[in-house]
Structures are given as C-alpha cells and as structure tokens.
Amino acid sequence: MTAKKLLKQYFGYDEFREGQLELIDAMISGGDVLGIMATGAGKSLCYQIPAMILPGVTLVISPLISLMRDQVQALAASGIPAAFLNSSLTEKQWNKAVQNAKNGMYKIIYVAPERLFTSSMTELVCGLDVSLIAVDEAHCISQWGQDFRPSYLDIPKFAAGLPVRPVLAAFTATATPRVREDILRTLELKNPLAMVTGFDRPNLYFEVRRLKDKYSSLVRYLRENSGAGIIYCSTRKETDSVTEMLLEDKFSAARYHAGLSESERSKSQDDFLYDRVKIIVATNAFGMGIDKSDIRFIVHYNMPQNIESYYQEAGRAGRDGLPSDCIMFYARKDINTALFLINQSENPDEIARNRKLLNKMEQFCETGDCLRRYILDYFGESTDDCGNCGNCNDTSEEIDITSDAQKILSHITRLNNANKRFMFTHTADILLGKSDDFTDLSTFGIMKGTPRSYIRKLISRLTALSYICDDGYLSVTPKAKEVLYNGAAVTMRGQKPEITTKKEKPPKVKYNFSDELFIKLKNLRLEIAREEKVPAFIVFSDATLVDMCQKHPRTEEEMLTVSGVGEVKLKRYGIRFIELLCEETPASAPGETKNFTKELFMQEITIENESIQITRVADNFNAVFLKYGKEKITGAKLNNLLLEAGYLIIENGVKLPTSRGREIGIITIRRNTERGNFSQCLFGAEAQRICAELLVITGD
Ligand code: ADP
Ligand code: ZN
C-alpha cells in the first residue's frame, strides 16, 4: 500500500505535512534520514508509516518512558500493532512482550536506550528482522545539547551489530548547527537525507503581559480560557503558592516540581494527561515527555532564563495544530530571580554565557516588535511581522521618541568614549542622576524623573533597531550616528510615561471552544477515554473534534472524511460520535426530506448475521431513528413486544424463548459471571427482523 493510503487508512489524514513524504520515501528506499522538525510538526508519522511498509520490525529508540506508553496506546487505537520495552515493565510483562515480538506480532517496538545491550534484548534482536531504527529526540546524543544521554552513544554500535545494518532515521525538534553536526557524525548516518522544516508554529499566539498583580490577571485569564494548560513558575516555592491559591479559588489544578515525592509527581502528571485536572502548575522540571496534544495554553508566570527554554516550554501548547496561547506574565522582579539562579553556578564562564542568554530573554519581554519574528530571528530564520501576536495586535500608537533616543545614545557614546560599558542598571542610574560617579558627565541626570521602566523600554527599542548593542553591557553601534547627527527619527509603540491609562486590546480571533456541540463531543471523548483507560487525545485529538463540528458527519462514510479518523478508529469510536452527531442534527436537514415510513425503516436498519443481545438490536434500530430525528427504543421495550407477541415467556423470573421464539432464531446461552450464572437470550437475523416488524412506525 502506498504511504498516502496508509496515512488515510490508519491516521485519517488526507495530506502529508511539509517534509514528511520526502523523509518517508527516503526511508522506504533504504536511505538514512535526519528530520529536524518543530514540535507538533508530525515527526512520529515519518517513521510509523515506513514501519508499516518495510518488512520486519522497526525499533524506535526514545528516552522518554512515559511517552512510549502513550505512543503505543495511540498506535493501538489506530490499529497498528506496537509494544514497548523499558524499565516500567515487570519481568513477566517484559517476557510476554519479547515472546510476542518473536512471534512477529508487532510492527513497531519502542526501546529505551539503556536497554539496547541487555542480554534479553540481544537475544531478541537476533531472531528479528529489524528494517529500521528510528532515533527519537536525537539531540540527546550530543554533549552540547541540554538533554545529553550517554546511552545514546550505544546506538551506532547496536545498529552495526545487527545481521543486516538497518536504515537509521534520526528526529529532533531542537538542534543548533553544532548539535546537528554531532547527530550526523555520532550516529554514523550514511548519506542521509536531511530535512529541516521551519521553527515557526503558526497556531501559537504569543503575548507578553507586563504586570504588577500577576495572580489576579491569571485568574481573569483562566476564567476566560477553558481547556488544558500549564502554568510555569521559576521556583518551587512559587509553584506551591500559585497552586494553593488556585485550589482555594476552585480551579482544577495540580502541582509538579522536583521537590515532590515521585508518587505525587506521577499522580499530577497522570491527572493532567487524563484530564482529571485541567491546569498543572509546574517548574521547568515538568514537560519532557509530555505528549499531550491538546494543551490550549502555556502561561509563563515568571520569565524563563533563556529563549531556548522559553520556546521549548511554550511549544508544548497546540501540538494538534489548533490555536493556542503562549502568554508571558512579566515583571522586572523576574530578572532578579533569574540572575539569582544563574549566579548559583561556580563557573564564571557559564555565568557570563547565561547572562547573555538572559539578556535576550529580557529583550523579548521588553520589545514592542513582533514577538514571533523575534523568536524566529533568534533561531536564525527571518520573517515578516506575523500580524497575530500581542505586539502586532497592540493598538497603542507609534510615538516619536527621537529626543529621548538622542539623550540615551549620546550618554552611552560618552561612557564608551571613556572606555566604559555598563549594564542597564548603572547606565540608567547615571541618566536618572541617582549615581555617585560620573556626576560631571554632561548626561548625568539628563532624564531625571523618568520612570526606570520607560528607560528600559527605550533601550530595548534602540537595541531592536540596532542602534545599541546589548550583550549584557551596553555600547553604541556605528548606526547610532544616524540618530545623533543625521536627524533620523525613532518611533516606538506605546505611550509616553506620564500617561498611565492603557487602551483595551482588541479581542483575539480564536476558535470558539465554548461551542455547545464541541463540548458534547469532548464529553463523549472523555467518557470513552475513561472506559478505555487512555488519555482523551488518544481517542481523537481536539483538531479532529473541531473538524467533526464543521463537517457534522452522520454516516460512516462521512465520518471517514474527518481529519484524524482512520478505519480502525471509525469502528472503535466513530460510531458513538455519529450517534451523538445524529442526535444533534435536526430531522429535516436540507436534502433529507424523505418521509419516514415503516418501509424506509426496514430498508435502513442493520440486520446482523450473528446472534446478538437485545440491547444491540435496539442500538441498530436507534441508528436509524436518530438519523430521522425519531425517538429511541430500548431493549426492554423490544422484550415487552416479544413477550406480548408470544415469542418470549417469563419462567421463575427468567426470560426464555417459546417454541415460536426458537423457530425464529431466539436462542439462550448460559453465562458465568462474577455476579453468578444466568441465562441470556440472543437474537438471530430472523428474530431481529421480527423485532423490527413488531414496531409501530408512525410517519411524519
Ligand atoms: P512531533 O513528534 O513532531 O512533536 P507528533 O508526531 O506528535 O509531532 O504530531 C503532532 C500532531 O500532528 C499529532 O496529533 C499528529 O497526529 C498530527 N499530524 C501528524 N501528521 C499529520 C498530517 N499529515 N496531517 C494532519 N495531522 C498530522
Ligand atoms: Zn507578531
């Protein structure tokens, strides 16, 4: 089967996303690949589809044990046989999985890197035909990356030790050029096809709120925004206190940080994953391995220490591609906390490096320019203003700041000429006349009385415009001459400091998640997820539910056109969604003007060849009733009709078929259950038809 057909049949998607098909094609023709794709871009499919096409099995090496379980569940829900081998299995479970693997029951096996050279693994792979090894989170192989895993270094040796060296495929979302180089070299990829898709996440909305009272803003935000979300705090203490306040205010929240017991942490994580709590308040310890695709918002209650961490954390929102928020709650105080944390290091070089990174983060919070553009620029991608971030949407006016800009630039020029480069605080102190030194500099006290925060904004703006170079210490660039001597005007979005009232921002364009139908679909999804003990997004993603709201499918065929509904999921879950959607559709939908008659009913019902329970007979009838907006029938009502018509009788409180009943194919079976033994009637095809005949159908 072709890759595109598999995409539709198993995953329910019509089109490949950027880079996917190229990578898949390369793998199935035997080539190594390196895929660098943003979070949520769809890396998993890139190796799952080749795994279905190639003979034998695919091993997926992943550092994240919790993620393995989710992925295997998700694959199983789509009808793809998969398993995982990691330390969370008991010996018995491990042996069973290995046995199944040997019997060829899996196409995909997830393995933790630490397990590659264990004896049972070596024994297993001897008897397996491994066609492909996919290395997830491949940046873990690099010592330059923040998540270095020594056991990743075993992978090339492991691959080389197999009877036939399989195709190697490496995937990651975060790779600076240096890390990329490391992956290629250390994994020993052979002439790999490397695909780098952009870092942009168009469905994420970025906004920085400069706030004094963060908590009440948080509460306001949470009241206006439903869905699951993470609130990141920079310290354990803050995590605890925010959680406590939210619980007091009756929000559904849990906390997560490294100071908690293992059991509390995994409970919090599971509660969040399974939608038992909506909000998780956490330090940056939370997130690695969180594959929840329907996270609708990330609030940074404190500013993180660098853009890399920020983007990685913010990027956990909206993996399903739906609009999601990344809101930064920023206060100057956060800089002090970050500096404090950075200064804990004993290594002065590290402190200096981290301060530079912090500086970039601070500029992000202070800039009035497009936030998305700022981030992409940071990662080396150039774009235009996005038109959809907090700053692009800011309606405050452009103000002329030329005169203030000249004061600041000439001040810094003077300091630089005296061979001095100061950090922001000291530079501003002299401008404000609050310093003991440089009192005879002509710019001393030249901006007396101006709020420090305003000077901060001005300097950020001048840095963004490349008049100032700010690597922690400030200096002017040659370009500053344009402003100082050639009369170039400088503007900035915002208000002069003496004006304190702020204009209301326009409402954001968002998907309407309060939509009643959407909520009903979500509830049904949750119900199914609880029955099956899987996270809700394994059943269907939010994106799939949104598509259902829009397409409103009422038949199996229509349901298959919904993005994210493949054939297995249709059978497993889709039917119940169709029922719900049929209930939601008015009977006289346009084009559906047929008169509802007994004849029509008899034509449309499903008669099954097997002998089935009465409730299932009723379900089959109800599918038709629902379609035409008719009242449902219950199994009990059908039983009564059969009793009245003499097909069933009750003896000693037990329903049994009469001889007439047996003639039309009603049988009894005995069932032994926990609640004891009892007999049950089952209804063959003829009996099902008679049930239908017994119903009185009234036309429209
Ligand atoms: P990554 O591992 O790159 O962060 P995932 O593999 O988890 O991303 O995919 C993110 C989401 O995108 C999943 O819900 C996945 O089903 C969906 N997805 C992947 N490929 C496609 C596609 N071609 N069309 C629509 N949705 C897709
Ligand atoms: Zn923007």
Side-chain angles (χ1 to χ4, degrees):
M1 202 182 294
T2 64
K4 188 147 184 203
K5 284 217 176 103
L6 289 168
L7 179 72
K8 180 72 187 161
Q9 180 179 336
Y10 286 100
F11 299 97
Y13 300 133
D14 289 323
E15 298 295 335
F16 281 107
R17 291 201 186 138
E18 189 192 347
Q20 287 179 327
L21 189 58
E22 290 87 339
L23 289 167
I24 291 170
D25 278 344
M27 280 180 259
I28 55 186
S29 30
D32 288 355
V33 304
L34 169 63
I36 299 177
M37 299 160 91
T39 312
K43 287 183 281 300
S44 330
L45 272 184
C46 296
Y47 55 78
Q48 288 163 350
I49 288 185
M52 300 297 288
I53 295 175
L54 292 168
V57 298
T58 289
L59 296 184
V60 182
I61 298 172
S62 162
L64 308 165
I65 292 182
S66 62
L67 197 137
M68 286 185 199
R69 193 181 348 122
D70 294 348
Q71 294 246 5
V72 167
Q73 274 179 347
L75 287 170
S78 303
I80 299 174
F84 61 84
L85 293 172
N86 65 34
S87 56
S88 75
L89 297 180
T90 61
E91 200 182 319
K92 208 169 140 203
Q93 290 171 321
W94 174 284
N95 290 337
K96 176 129 200 300
V98 166
Q99 199 49 51
N100 288 342
K102 282 185 184 157
N103 293 338
M105 280 174 63
Y106 306 128
K107 285 303 285 179
I108 302 181
I109 302 176
Y110 286 78
V111 193
E114 295 77 19
R115 295 268 147 176
L116 290 177
F117 283 110
T118 55
S119 56
S120 62
M121 193 65 202
T122 318
E123 190 213 315
L124 169 65
V125 291
C126 278
L128 282 184
D129 170 17
V130 180
S131 310
L132 169 66
I133 295 183
V135 182
D136 207 3
E137 312 288 347
H139 61 280
C140 292
I141 204 169
S142 168
Q143 321 219 18
W144 296 110
Q146 42 187 330
D147 310 315
F148 175 56
R149 284 276 197 128
S151 51
Y152 261 59
L153 298 172
D154 288 341
I155 299 171
K157 199 162 100 213
F158 175 79
L162 295 172
V164 181
R165 193 256 194 202
V167 172
L168 272 184
F171 296 92
T172 176
T174 48
T176 59
R178 195 175 203 176
V179 171
R180 202 175 299 175
E181 192 43 47
D182 259 8
I183 296 174
L184 290 171
R185 195 171 38 78
T186 322
L187 265 184
E188 297 168 18
L189 297 181
K190 290 190 196 140
N191 293 324
L193 170 77
M195 291 290 302
V196 185
T197 66
F199 278 91
D200 189 18
R201 301 280 309 280
N203 61 314
L204 299 187
Y205 169 84
F206 293 95
E207 185 182 323
V208 176
R209 299 190 181 176
R210 296 166 190 87
L211 296 166
K212 288 229 165 63
D213 183 1
K214 289 187 181 184
Y215 184 71
S216 50
S217 308
L218 179 65
V219 169
R220 222 172 309 128
Y221 178 82
L222 295 176
R223 296 228 158 100
E224 285 166 10
N225 291 274
S226 58
I230 307 176
I231 298 166
Y232 277 112
C233 299
S234 56
T235 62
R236 296 175 190 181
K237 210 171 126 208
E238 185 118 76
T239 306
D240 288 339
S241 75
V242 171
T243 316
E244 229 164 76
M245 290 190 285
L246 287 178
L247 289 175
E248 236 161 65
D249 285 327
K250 305 274 179 282
F251 285 100
S252 157
R255 64 183 177 153
Y256 188 104
H257 59 65
L260 302 175
S261 68
E262 171 71 35
S263 65
E264 184 173 352
R265 265 183 293 155
S266 65
K267 179 172 184 325
S268 295
Q269 176 162 333
D270 278 357
D271 283 349
F272 182 62
L273 210 59
Y274 287 80
D275 292 329
R276 292 187 288 261
V277 300
K278 273 203 160 147
I279 301 164
I280 190 143
V281 188
T283 61
N284 59 10
F286 181 75
M288 252 298 246
I290 294 302
D291 200 18
K292 191 170 167 59
S293 70
D294 58 352
I295 297 177
R296 291 278 72 88
F297 64 83
I298 306 284
V299 167
H300 275 89
Y301 201 72
N302 304 111
M303 183 189 73
Q305 289 175 31
N306 54 58
I307 304 269
E308 282 91 343
S309 314
Y310 171 67
Y311 202 51
Q312 196 172 51
E313 287 159 14
R316 296 192 173 118
R319 294 172 72 123
D320 53 13
L322 292 182
S324 308
D325 284 350
C326 305
I327 314 285
M328 170 92 76
F329 282 17
Y330 167 72
R332 292 293 310 163
K333 201 171 101 231
D334 295 336
I335 308 240
N336 299 333
T337 315
L339 274 173
F340 172 80
L341 293 170
I342 287 172
N343 289 337
Q344 300 297 303
S345 165
E346 313 241 297
N347 176 346
D349 290 345
E350 189 178 308
I351 294 182
R353 198 170 60 233
N354 287 337
R355 279 190 171 208
K356 274 191 188 168
L357 295 176
L358 174 64
N359 206 258
K360 286 284 183 192
M361 187 72 246
E362 185 186 340
Q363 279 172 26
F364 173 82
C365 296
E366 293 284 357
T367 183
D369 297 330
C370 176
L371 294 170
R372 189 186 314 276
R373 188 171 177 171
Y374 185 95
I375 294 171
L376 294 178
D377 190 53
Y378 182 88
F379 289 110
E381 262 178 60
S382 57
T383 54
D384 291 330
D385 286 0
C386 74
N388 179 34
C389 68
N391 289 354
C392 285
N393 286 348
D394 190 349
T395 52
S396 38
E397 280 153 45
E398 285 279 314
I399 52 172
D400 187 332
I401 55 163
T402 310
S403 141
D404 285 335
Q406 286 170 341
K407 286 178 195 163
I408 290 172
L409 292 175
S410 93
H411 174 60
I412 299 175
T413 306
R414 269 159 234 269
L415 290 174
N416 290 170
N417 287 345
N419 274 329
K420 301 284 179 204
R421 287 172 70 224
F422 293 133
M423 295 175 77
F424 168 78
T425 314
H426 198 176
T427 309
D429 279 346
I430 306 170
L431 278 171
L432 292 168
K434 286 185 176 168
S435 166
D436 297 334
D437 52 6
F438 295 96
T439 47
D440 48 3
L441 201 71
S442 62
T443 47
F444 181 88
I446 198 176
M447 295 184 81
K448 214 176 190 144
T450 310
R452 191 183 283 271
S453 60
Y454 184 64
I455 296 182
R456 162 69 60 179
K457 270 189 101 132
L458 293 169
I459 289 183
S460 294
R461 176 67 179 154
L462 293 171
T463 307
L465 293 171
S466 306
Y467 294 123
I468 291 175
C469 167
D470 179 357
D471 56 7
Y473 300 88
L474 303 175
S475 56
V476 289
T477 66
K479 200 179 162 204
K481 290 202 179 71
E482 292 170 15
V483 179
L484 285 170
Y485 310 118
N486 301 338
V490 190
T491 60
M492 176 172 84
R493 231 28 93 75
Q495 269 115 19
K496 293 274 185 194
E498 55 279 4
I499 311 160
T500 47
T501 50
K502 219 175 168 227
K503 281 189 194 166
E504 279 297 311
K505 291 190 176 170
K508 292 174 287 178
V509 188
K510 282 185 75 161
Y511 182 79
N512 181 12
F513 281 112
S514 62
D515 188 341
E516 218 178 300
L517 178 58
F518 184 73
I519 290 171
K520 282 189 185 162
L521 294 175
K522 269 177 90 159
N523 287 340
L524 175 57
R525 176 178 68 175
L526 192 61
E527 190 182 311
I528 296 175
R530 296 211 164 133
E531 285 166 20
E532 308 231 332
K533 300 198 170 47
V534 296
F537 61 88
I538 298 266
V539 177
F540 284 130
S541 72
D542 274 8
T544 299
L545 298 191
V546 168
D547 206 32
M548 271 185 212
C549 287
Q550 277 153 3
K551 296 202 172 118
H552 217 115
R554 299 168 62 199
T555 62
E556 295 192 12
E557 220 165 50
E558 287 169 8
M559 189 54 117
L560 276 174
T561 68
V562 171
S563 171
V565 183
E567 282 170 17
V568 171
K569 282 200 177 178
L570 170 72
K571 291 278 177 266
R572 201 166 290 175
Y573 314 121
I575 312 291
R576 285 169 73 175
F577 283 86
I578 293 175
E579 283 178 7
L580 193 158
L581 287 159
C582 286
E583 272 177 60
E584 289 300 311
T585 317
S588 55
E592 203 62 72
T593 46
K594 267 194 210 164
N595 232 358
F596 187 63
T597 57
K598 181 81 175 240
E599 202 186 343
L600 187 65
F601 175 73
M602 294 303 290
Q603 270 170 22
E604 295 217 354
I605 49 170
T606 307
I607 300 291
E608 300 193 36
N609 286 327
E610 303 172 48
S611 294
I612 58 176
Q613 296 177 26
I614 199 72
T615 47
R616 184 141 143 211
V617 179
D619 283 349
N620 287 339
F621 294 178
N622 286 333
V624 180
F625 285 138
L626 287 167
K627 183 169 163 194
Y628 291 94
K630 297 288 166 192
E631 220 173 88
K632 287 212 257 184
I633 180 122
T634 60
K637 184 130 184 249
L638 288 177
N639 271 331
N640 283 339
L641 289 172
L642 291 163
L643 283 165
E644 278 169 25
Y647 293 106
L648 292 176
I649 51 162
I650 296 185
E651 270 177 23
N652 303 329
V654 181
K655 266 190 258 33
L656 293 170
T658 59
S659 58
R660 281 184 67 203
R662 280 194 296 274
E663 265 170 39
I664 63 162
I666 304 178
I667 56 169
T668 53
I669 53 158
R670 292 204 65 76
R671 293 188 53 187
N672 302 321
T673 71
E674 286 165 7
R675 284 173 293 147
N677 299 344
F678 60 92
S679 67
Q680 187 178 36
C681 295
L682 293 182
F683 299 79
E686 178 61 17
Q688 296 167 37
R689 212 164 296 134
I690 303 266
C691 283
E693 292 286 4
L694 291 173
L695 289 169
V696 179
I697 304 279
T698 49
D700 285 19

